[in-house]
Amino acid sequence: MSRVLLIEDDPAVREGVALALRRQNHDVDATATGEEGMDRLRAFRPDIVVLDLMLPGMTGLEVCRGIRAVDQTLPIIMATARGEEVDIVVGLEAGADDYVVKPVLARVLDARIRAVLRRAAGGTPGAEGLPKIDTYGDLAVDRAGLTVALNGEPIALAPSELRLLLTLSASPGQVFSRQQLLEAVWEHDYHGDARLVDACVKRLRTKMSEPPRAPRYIHTVRGFGYRFSAP
């Protein structure tokens, strides 16, 4: 049973989503504000957070950034009623692992939660036949231990960031389309969600101290996707 912290200000939506998730065998703690959510984060110790973007007081973006300031690895699914690309991209760049557009079907949210938790629990794509730790210049990727270090210093990665790096680095030099990465990392098949890939690459590059105009490891293949290179 996964522990889900639901932060949603609309009472009807909050109660309906919480009930539906409990019926799917999730342990749900539901709060109405970002401030309450941050307090419950420490007490409830969730496996995943479902976070409404539009909250009174402390906004969803502020909550997302607040969570990431204390925990880089806790999975976050952002919910937005507007579905506007700028809101989604800002939320993803703030640290969300995935998103849903409200109103969302319970089975869709449940599927997204389970997919994100699978990424958090493991699933090392491309690890078969590879050594336990791969070293690429200053970057060390431990595929068995699911850890990453740069210059000997651990990098705390969210589940989507880790799986994206594992996928790309398993095949250095291979070009992956956004659609291929979307299906491999997020288990999505809708091409419009490719912004998930771009936002995650941006966050990953920042954590890996990649120069924006001259990245060492993750290279953009214009008009197609991304390629991992070992310096």
Side-chain angles (χ1 to χ4, degrees), residues 36-49:
E36 291 175 0
M38 291 300 293
D39 287 340
R40 293 302 301 156
L41 193 69
R42 292 179 283 272
F44 183 57
R45 299 176 64 86
D47 299 309
I48 190 167
V49 176

Side-chain angles (χ1 to χ4, degrees), residues 34-227:
E35 291 84 353
E36 291 175 0
M38 291 300 293
D39 287 340
R40 293 302 301 156
L41 193 69
R42 292 179 283 272
F44 183 57
R45 299 176 64 86
D47 299 309
I48 190 167
V49 176
V50 177
L51 172 65
D52 183 21
L53 183 64
M54 303 300 294
L55 291 172
M58 189 177 191
T59 69
L61 289 177
E62 291 172 332
V63 174
C64 189
R65 294 189 182 107
I67 292 173
R68 286 289 171 251
V70 298
D71 191 334
Q72 289 284 342
T73 63
L74 178 64
I76 301 172
I77 295 179
M78 176 184 66
T80 172
R82 289 184 287 180
E84 295 179 2
E85 184 167 350
V86 62
D87 298 319
I88 293 170
V89 170
V90 170
L92 292 171
E93 291 182 351
D97 287 281
D98 205 341
Y99 76 94
V100 292
V101 177
K102 298 191 300 183
V104 59
L105 296 175
R107 60 179 175 78
V108 173
L109 180 56
D110 176 58
R112 293 289 178 92
I113 289 173
R114 293 181 188 278
V116 172
L117 289 175
R118 279 195 296 273
R119 297 200 293 273
T124 55
E128 297 80 2
L130 294 178
K132 179 181 178 181
I133 300 178
D134 284 339
T135 303
Y136 312 96
D138 298 327
L139 184 71
V141 179
D142 185 339
R143 297 182 179 278
L146 299 179
T147 60
V148 178
L150 184 66
N151 292 315
E153 294 295 325
I155 305 175
L157 299 179
S160 55
E161 296 162 357
L162 176 59
R163 190 169 176 90
L164 178 62
L165 180 58
L166 290 170
T167 301
L168 288 168
S169 63
S171 303
Q174 178 178 336
V175 178
F176 290 87
S177 70
R178 288 174 174 83
Q179 185 64 28
Q180 287 175 314
L181 293 171
L182 188 64
E183 294 175 3
V185 176
W186 286 269
E187 302 178 28
H188 291 204
D189 56 9
Y190 173 53
H191 66 85
D193 287 342
R195 56 198 156 196
L196 284 166
V197 181
D198 294 335
C200 191
V201 167
K202 183 175 181 179
R203 298 197 322 253
L204 188 54
R205 281 173 169 166
T206 298
K207 291 185 177 182
M208 293 169 60
S209 302
E210 291 265 67
R213 296 188 178 182
R216 298 180 63 197
Y217 298 102
I218 303 175
H219 300 267
T220 301
V221 180
R222 192 172 300 278
F224 192 77
Y226 297 97
R227 178 184 67 242

